[in-house]
């Protein structure tokens, strides 16, 4: 603000803000007088047109921010704690404020008439009277809907819902966003004024706006994202990759990577690789469970290092070749079933999926996986999710080439599996349902993300009348979906032919349904009928549902299977449908499901 601006600044005591108080009045009287003046004039105007930013929030923007906050209180896919509700509310309120501010600016630019002082005062008074009351009521209602959702997903209905803290977190985030936006605006206006001394005003305005946008873009992308979020996630993941989960020890079996005679050292396998191979069930454990002779299972895992994870595609061919050599060393091609497992961003393989197959076949199995990164899945998705499909495709090509050298009647059944980003890795390596069915003897895929190409194709081309959360494709002849697999997989009346593909897909899994399209498009999974564990109070709101589902992914493990991103022992039913051993019965499935479901996962 210039010195001229300061000299011409009007006295705020003239109605725009409380003025000096008589020194002799009691404190209570002074407070009452101040509140009365504020009630008569419940907002501040810009003290001078020369002020570069508004000092008091815009009423239109504030109303839209409040409406967005109210919409964020609606339930979503999984129950969320109160602090995440505050974060969702703050983010969506900031979006609403930005939209409202834009609309108000357009109105002021297009319409010359302004509401008179009495009208503005009444509008502000109505806002301060109604908004807090409506907010308290809606926050209380949100607690009720959260309790109902918890019941639907088999959680205790008790819930801690700190109404004041939810509002405070949302207000703090909104205030922070508003402060940052005003700082950017102040910087832009200052830059334009400086450029205006050297350039014509239209040129100065365009140049200043472009430079400001470039500075914001570079700051967010290079400093906040690349050097902030990604670097921190990388350092944390690298530190974790050097450890091992408590209770996991180096295997003594020569049939697993990292064990005696392995081509890969135990220390080189990384965190998830050591967990995977170090938790392999023993022949004694498999024999004790089945009561029949068993074999030591084969587990092969080829790790990734940062140069492999982020270089070109050629290292994946080297990984695949090493995996095949390790499979040959362990005698994997003499087993009855060979499973290629897609891994998540960290290299994780679901222990329930692996052990269900091994117990079912009494160890006459081989499971192989390659790691393409050690970063969390959400970072891998943002950085380069294409590596997941490239690594898995290279492994599948190498395994298939080795199988082709064997006599057809001496080849193991080739099946594929993966969960979450691991399911995407498998799907991306095939690209279509037809190719998946043509090149494998079956597949078990759990919680595939929305961007997975095969499951997206299957949901898009589902049979008429089947909901997207339990689609029926080609009458269920080769592919079936289930949330409650014991009943869902038997639901289609058509004959189930081999090869079979089983998808375990929970209606309440935010990983399955998250998509940028949620910003502006109403998703099909909100169409009636809703999934069995989705509350009828759920609604779609532009922008809001996107952030709700984003936050849902962070708490999708806070529920029990088969809800959220939890699939528990459902893999038992999946494998029993896809690749059962000879003589396997429904009673065996029930017994193994109970065993897998009631014991603690190895990692």
């Amino acid at each position: 603000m210039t010195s001229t601006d300061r000299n011409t600044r009007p006295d705020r005591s003239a109605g725009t803000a409380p003025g000096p108080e008589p020194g002799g009045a009691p404190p209570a009287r002074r407070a009452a007088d101040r509140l009365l003046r504020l009630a008569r004039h419940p907002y501040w105007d810009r003290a001078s047109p020369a002020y570069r930013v508004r000092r008091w929030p815009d009423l239109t923007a504030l109303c839209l921010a409040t409406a967005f906050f109210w919409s964020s209180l609606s339930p979503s896919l999984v129950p969320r704690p109160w602090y995440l509700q505050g974060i969702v509310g703050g983010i969506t309120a900031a979006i609403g404020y930005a939209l409202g501010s834009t609309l108000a600016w357009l109105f002021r630019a297009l319409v010359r008439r302004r509401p008179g002082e009495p009208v503005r005062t009444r509008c502000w008074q109505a806002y301060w009277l109604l908004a807090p009351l409506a907010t308290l009521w809606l926050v209380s209602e949100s607690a009720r809907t959260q309790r109902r959702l918890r019941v639907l997903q088999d959680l205790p209905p008790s819930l801690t819902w700190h109404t004041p803290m939810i509002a405070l977190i949302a207000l703090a985030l909104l205030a922070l966003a508003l402060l940052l936006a005003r700082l950017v605006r102040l910087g832009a206006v200052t830059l334009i004024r400086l450029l205006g001394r050297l350039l014509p005003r239209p040129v100065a305005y365009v140049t200043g706006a472009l430079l400001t946008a470039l500075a914001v873009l570079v700051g967010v992308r290079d400093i906040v994202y690349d050097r902030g979020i990604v670097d921190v996630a990388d350092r944390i993941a690298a530190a974790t990759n050097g450890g091992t989960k408590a209770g996991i020890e180096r295997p003594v079996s020569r049939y697993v990577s990292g064990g005696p005679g392995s081509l890969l050292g135990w220390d080189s396998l990384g965190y998830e690789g050591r967990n995977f191979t170090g938790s392999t069930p023993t022949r004694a454990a498999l024999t004790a469970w089945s009561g029949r002779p068993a074999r030591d299972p084969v587990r092969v895992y080829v790790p990734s290092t940062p140069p492999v994870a982020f270089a070109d595609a050629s290292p994946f061919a080297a990984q695949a070749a090493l995996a095949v050599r390790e499979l040959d060393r362990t005698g994997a091609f003499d087993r009855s079933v060979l499973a290629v497992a897609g891994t998540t961003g960290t290299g994780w393989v679901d222990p329930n999926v692996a052990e269900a197959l091994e117990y079912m076949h009494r160890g006459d199995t081989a499971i192989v996986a390659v790691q393409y990164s050690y970063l969390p899945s959400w970072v891998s998705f943002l950085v380069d999710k294409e590596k997941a499909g490239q690594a898995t495709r290279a492994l599948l090509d190498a395994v298939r080439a080795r199988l082709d050298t064997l006599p057809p009647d001496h080849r193991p059944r080739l099946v594929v599996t993966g969960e979450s980003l691991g399911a995407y890795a498998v799907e991306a390596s095939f690209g279509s349902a037809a190719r998946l069915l043509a090149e494998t003897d079956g597949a078990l895929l759990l919680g595939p993300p929305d961007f997975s190409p095969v499951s997206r194709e299957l949901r898009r081309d589902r049979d008429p009348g089947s909901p997207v959360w339990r689609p029926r494709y080609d009458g269920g002849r080769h592919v079936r979906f289930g949330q409650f697999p014991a009943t869902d997989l038997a639901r289609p009346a058509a004959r189930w032919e081999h090869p079979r593909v089983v998808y375990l897909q929970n209606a309440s899994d935010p990983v399955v349904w998250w998509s940028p399209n949620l910003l502006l498009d109403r998703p099909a999974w909100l169409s009636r009928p809703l999934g069995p564990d989705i509350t009828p109070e759920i609604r779609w709101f532009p922008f809001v549902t996107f952030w709700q589902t984003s936050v849902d992914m962070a708490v999708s493990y806070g529920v029990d299977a088969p809800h959220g991103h939890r699939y528990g022992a459902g893999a038992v039913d999946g494998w029993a449908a896809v690749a059962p051993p000879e003589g396997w019965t429904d009673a065996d499935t029930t017994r193994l499901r109970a065993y897998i479901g009631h014991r603690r996962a190895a990692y």
Side-chain angles (χ1 to χ4, degrees):
M1 186 170 65
T2 64
S3 58
T4 305
D5 296 335
R6 286 191 295 267
N7 293 335
T8 59
R9 177 178 172 179
D11 187 359
R12 287 173 49 187
S13 62
T16 59
E21 305 291 342
R29 176 64 180 276
R30 292 201 302 270
D33 289 342
R34 187 169 299 178
L35 287 174
L36 183 60
R37 283 197 299 272
L38 186 61
R40 290 173 177 168
H41 193 88
Y43 64 94
W44 291 351
D45 279 317
R46 193 180 312 209
S48 167
Y51 270 45
R52 299 176 184 175
V53 296
R54 180 187 301 275
R55 298 190 60 194
W56 193 251
D58 181 83
L59 179 58
T60 302
L62 195 59
C63 286
L64 208 56
T66 305
F68 268 55
F69 172 75
W70 290 344
S71 64
S72 75
L73 297 170
S74 62
S76 50
L77 289 169
V78 292
R80 55 183 177 265
W82 59 269
Y83 53 87
L84 286 182
Q85 175 58 64
I87 293 174
V88 173
I91 292 173
T92 52
I95 295 172
Y97 192 95
L99 291 175
S101 182
T102 302
L103 292 175
W105 176 80
L106 288 173
F107 179 82
R108 288 191 295 267
L110 298 175
V111 180
R112 294 288 183 180
R113 289 189 61 183
R114 297 288 184 272
E117 187 75 14
V119 173
R120 296 181 62 198
T121 299
R122 295 294 181 267
C123 290
W124 273 105
Q125 289 171 339
Y127 175 83
W128 291 122
L129 177 64
L130 299 177
L133 295 176
T135 299
L136 288 174
W137 174 65
L138 289 171
V139 172
S140 300
E141 279 295 296
S142 71
R144 182 187 64 80
T145 59
Q146 289 289 321
R147 292 188 186 97
R148 179 168 182 176
L149 183 58
R150 290 174 65 86
V151 171
L152 285 174
Q153 299 189 8
D154 302 320
L155 292 174
S158 58
L159 175 71
T160 301
W161 207 244
H162 294 293
T163 300
M165 292 304 299
I166 291 173
L168 286 175
I169 292 173
L171 281 173
L173 288 176
L174 175 60
L176 177 62
L178 186 57
L179 175 63
L180 292 175
R182 291 189 172 186
L183 287 175
V184 169
R185 182 181 176 187
L186 181 61
V189 172
T190 302
L191 178 61
I192 290 171
R193 288 194 176 186
L194 292 175
L195 292 173
R197 299 175 183 177
L198 306 173
L199 302 170
R201 182 169 180 81
V203 176
Y205 185 87
V206 172
T207 304
L210 290 176
L211 290 176
T212 302
L214 181 63
V216 171
L217 179 63
V218 170
V220 171
R221 186 192 62 188
D222 294 351
I223 299 176
V224 176
Y225 177 68
D226 287 341
R227 300 182 185 179
I229 296 174
V230 173
D231 274 3
V232 169
D234 179 73
R235 291 172 188 172
I236 294 174
T240 302
N241 199 49
T244 303
K245 188 174 178 63
I248 299 294
E249 298 180 356
R250 183 175 181 177
V252 297
S253 170
R254 73 178 191 86
Y255 296 101
V256 299
S257 297
S262 173
L263 302 177
L264 297 125
W266 169 251
D267 292 335
S268 72
L269 294 180
Y271 179 80
E272 296 297 353
R274 287 189 289 273
N275 291 340
F276 176 64
T277 62
S279 62
T280 307
T282 64
R283 177 173 55 184
L286 297 175
T287 300
W289 182 83
S290 66
R292 300 167 63 187
R295 304 179 68 179
D296 284 311
V298 172
R299 288 193 184 184
V300 169
Y301 191 94
V302 179
S304 173
T305 56
V308 172
F310 298 106
D312 58 18
S314 60
F316 298 134
Q319 278 185 298
L322 178 57
V324 170
R325 289 173 56 200
E326 184 79 341
L327 288 170
D328 272 322
R329 180 192 70 81
T330 57
F333 295 104
D334 295 328
R335 302 299 174 108
S336 63
V337 177
L338 171 58
V340 174
T343 64
T344 64
T346 59
W348 178 79
V349 177
D350 188 339
N352 289 332
V353 173
E355 291 188 18
L357 184 65
E358 290 162 340
Y359 274 90
M360 185 176 293
H361 287 268
R362 305 196 315 278
D364 192 19
T365 58
I367 304 175
V368 58
V370 297
Q371 181 186 30
Y372 54 87
S373 174
Y374 57 75
L375 293 170
S377 292
W378 65 272
V379 181
S380 296
F381 164 70
L382 293 173
V383 173
D384 52 2
K385 68 177 185 293
E386 293 77 14
K387 296 290 194 275
Q390 293 171 1
T392 307
R393 184 69 249 175
L395 176 60
L396 282 164
D397 287 343
V399 169
R400 174 58 72 181
R402 180 67 179 86
L403 288 173
D404 288 342
T405 66
L406 302 175
D409 56 346
H410 286 81
R411 298 174 186 173
R413 281 185 284 180
L414 176 64
V415 296
V416 292
T417 186
E419 181 172 337
S420 195
L421 198 58
Y424 164 78
V426 171
E427 291 195 18
S429 65
F430 292 100
S432 68
R435 190 175 178 187
L436 173 61
L437 289 168
E439 298 183 10
T440 69
D441 296 307
L444 172 61
L445 302 172
L446 304 85
D450 176 79
F451 49 81
S452 303
V454 178
S455 53
R456 174 178 284 188
E457 171 194 343
L458 296 172
R459 290 192 291 261
R460 182 195 65 206
D461 299 335
R462 66 188 184 275
D463 294 346
S466 61
V468 70
W469 45 268
R470 191 185 292 146
R472 186 173 63 252
Y473 179 80
D474 192 23
R477 193 160 61 95
H478 286 287
V479 182
R480 297 190 180 183
F481 287 74
Q483 177 170 353
F484 305 94
T487 56
D488 290 344
L489 297 182
R491 196 178 302 272
R495 179 184 167 168
W496 201 355
E497 301 177 9
H498 288 278
R500 295 176 175 178
V501 175
V502 167
Y503 277 94
L504 298 186
Q505 174 182 286
N506 295 338
S508 58
D509 188 351
V511 174
V512 172
W513 308 123
W514 182 91
S515 168
N517 293 335
L518 290 173
L519 285 166
L520 297 173
D521 295 333
R522 189 177 190 276
W525 50 268
L526 281 179
S527 300
R528 268 51 177 178
L530 295 172
D533 55 349
I534 297 181
T535 176
E537 286 93 349
I538 194 170
R539 297 289 184 273
W540 175 78
F541 297 97
F543 300 101
V544 177
T545 302
F546 171 81
W547 289 112
Q548 285 181 322
T549 309
S550 300
V551 171
D552 283 346
M553 288 196 292
V555 293
S556 59
Y557 287 99
V559 293
D560 294 327
H563 309 288
H565 200 49
R566 294 270 191 184
Y567 291 91
V572 175
D573 297 271
W575 285 130
V578 171
E582 186 176 353
W584 188 261
T585 66
D586 291 342
D588 294 327
T589 299
T590 300
R591 179 168 170 257
L592 182 55
R593 187 195 311 123
Y595 176 76
I596 297 291
H598 289 88
R599 61 138 179 74
R600 186 174 182 180
Y603 57 90

